[in-house]
Amino acid sequence: MNTEHYINHPNFGLLYRVCFVEEHQELFTTLYAQRLFFLVSTSTSGMKFEPIGRSEARLLLENRLRMLRRTGQTQEYEQLQTILQRTFQ
């Protein structure tokens, strides 16, 4: 099942989840332009939005792809590969 996740940023509006980065951290981008990226950390005290550059976002996504390939999670790997191509090329 492929589900999409969205959150609302106080200044930039609706953000679309690109992928998980690690526990309690996810990579989000602006819904329409997909040019602004945020590393969103969640904790018991709330959410923290850290703006990151396009190259850093791509690096995080590529690292996630490598981890998925190593662990043999082919379905998620293929979905994330499609997201990489659509977002960064």
Side-chain angles (χ1 to χ4, degrees):
M1 179 169 78
N2 186 10
T3 59
E4 296 179 346
H5 295 272
Y6 301 91
I7 57 174
N8 194 22
H9 186 279
N11 296 327
F12 296 103
L14 208 55
L15 302 179
Y16 170 76
R17 184 177 73 191
V18 177
C19 70
F20 288 102
V21 176
E22 57 185 51
E23 191 171 345
H24 305 294
Q25 284 191 329
E26 299 171 271
L27 178 63
F28 280 81
T29 186
T30 50
L31 182 61
Y32 298 106
Q34 296 185 351
R35 297 287 180 222
L36 301 173
F37 294 89
F38 298 89
L39 186 58
V40 179
S41 303
T42 55
S43 66
T44 55
S45 61
M47 298 176 87
K48 177 184 168 195
F49 294 87
E50 180 185 343
I52 61 173
R54 186 172 173 82
S55 59
E56 187 177 351
R58 183 179 182 138
L59 183 63
L60 288 171
L61 186 55
E62 289 171 344
N63 287 339
R64 177 73 177 166
L65 280 168
R66 279 191 284 281
M67 190 277 304
L68 292 172
R69 188 177 56 230
R70 277 194 311 265
T71 59
Q73 300 177 43
T74 56
Q75 183 178 4
E76 190 176 347
Y77 175 85
E78 290 170 1
Q79 291 172 349
L80 204 52
Q81 185 70 35
T82 302
I83 290 171
L84 174 72
Q85 292 171 355
R86 186 179 67 223
T87 305
F88 293 101
Q89 297 179 23

